[in-house]
Amino acid sequence: MKTIVQRVPEKTIINNSVKKSIWMDSWKKLKKQRSAMIGLGIVLFFIIVGILAPVITSQPYDGFNPKETLISPNAQHLFGTDDQGRDIFTRIVFGARISLWIGFFSVIGSIIVGSILGLIAGFYGKWLDAIISRFFDIMLAFPSILLAIAIVAILGPSLFNALVAIAIINIPTYGRLIRSRVLSVKEEEYIMAARITGMSDGRILFQHILPNSITPIIVQGTLGIATAILEAAALGFLGLGAQPGQAEWGKMLADSRQFITIAPWTLLFPGFAIMLVVIGFNMFGDGLRDALDPKMK
């Protein structure tokens, strides 16, 4: 009785080892960049704070205590209290959840939709490319924040609608990026070979073209999270994002702007939190771009 042994093609083993080597080299290069690691540390810090918010503080973030309004920072209230007697430290800790939630999921939504449209436009070209590209151009013709305001005004002010609006306005960024990559990757010899063997367009797109076009998307997505957090804060400041009672940093700034002279801590700490998390994502994104760029190696 013969035993059949299925051999794994050597080319597949080589390709997998090359991919692992590339990612390992990129990680080693990233670790050598002090600013990138500081940015990663800031991002991880806020993620941990958001996850462990109920453990870090036991005070309610949406309570009302008229006896403790506008108390300056002290041992009991590290960041002071706002005009409703709510502990600002607690609201910032819980606000990290909202800001990161909006940042991550709005970018994920933009990447999914933008990548699909970019893949179709770049791969098929002709009239599909023309229609999708004109759609991107029209969206990019409007200032992003004004377009987000218009979308939220149509859908109605809420945190979820703000997330949807931020995801929509950033679709062209990722769509055009993936389209440009597809235009160059689809001319490679291995794509031609896949077509000759009769591989379907869907398999070529998602098994060959997309994996080889994902690097710039990862970098842009990391930087895009910082932009999304700023846009969410702007919508919250305008009253179109988080609603009263929700612990969102932009909304905290809007509610406290009238107390800037008598209680500056009500604006200082949420503003510093926004600045710090945005700087963290930008520093990490810049380092990631340098580490994954073949020209930098």
Side-chain angles (χ1 to χ4, degrees), residues 23 111 174 177 213-223 288 292:
W23 286 106
I111 289 176
Y174 302 98
L177 183 60
S213 307
I214 202 68
T215 299
I217 292 294
I218 293 175
V219 175
Q220 184 60 42
T222 304
L223 296 170
L288 193 62
L292 295 176

Side-chain angles (χ1 to χ4, degrees), residues 114-235:
S115 295
I116 292 174
L117 293 177
L119 285 170
I120 295 173
F123 188 75
Y124 292 104
K126 298 181 180 179
W127 63 272
L128 277 174
D129 185 17
I131 293 175
I132 294 174
S133 296
R134 296 298 79 77
F135 169 70
F136 290 160
D137 293 340
I138 291 172
M139 291 189 66
L140 292 172
F142 297 93
S144 59
I145 189 64
L146 292 182
L147 185 58
I149 291 172
I151 294 172
V152 175
I154 294 172
L155 298 177
S158 74
L159 201 58
F160 179 77
N161 289 341
L163 185 153
V164 172
I166 294 170
I168 292 174
I169 64 175
N170 289 306
I171 287 175
T173 301
Y174 302 98
R176 294 183 64 166
L177 183 60
I178 199 74
R179 174 185 174 273
S180 64
R181 289 289 300 169
V182 172
L183 289 175
S184 61
V185 173
K186 75 175 184 178
E187 301 300 331
E188 297 290 339
E189 293 181 357
Y190 64 91
I191 301 298
M192 300 295 184
R195 284 176 168 174
I196 293 173
T197 58
M199 185 176 292
S200 64
D201 291 348
R203 290 186 61 187
I204 293 175
L205 283 170
F206 292 101
Q207 290 187 13
H208 295 289
I209 293 181
L210 183 59
N212 287 285
S213 307
I214 202 68
T215 299
I217 292 294
I218 293 175
V219 175
Q220 184 60 42
T222 304
L223 296 170
I225 293 174
T227 304
I229 290 174
L230 280 176
E231 290 167 343
L235 291 175

Side-chain angles (χ1 to χ4, degrees), residues 261-279:
T261 56
I262 60 175
W265 59 85
T266 57
L267 287 89
L268 177 64
F269 291 112
F272 183 74
I274 295 173
M275 181 190 71
L276 196 60
V277 73
V278 169
I279 289 176

Side-chain angles (χ1 to χ4, degrees), residues 89-132:
F89 174 77
T90 300
R91 290 179 62 77
I92 288 177
V93 168
F94 279 92
R97 287 182 168 185
I98 295 178
S99 294
L100 293 174
W101 175 71
I102 291 177
F104 280 113
F105 284 98
S106 63
V107 167
I108 290 173
S110 299
I111 289 176
I112 292 175
V113 179
S115 295
I116 292 174
L117 293 177
L119 285 170
I120 295 173
F123 188 75
Y124 292 104
K126 298 181 180 179
W127 63 272
L128 277 174
D129 185 17
I131 293 175
I132 294 174

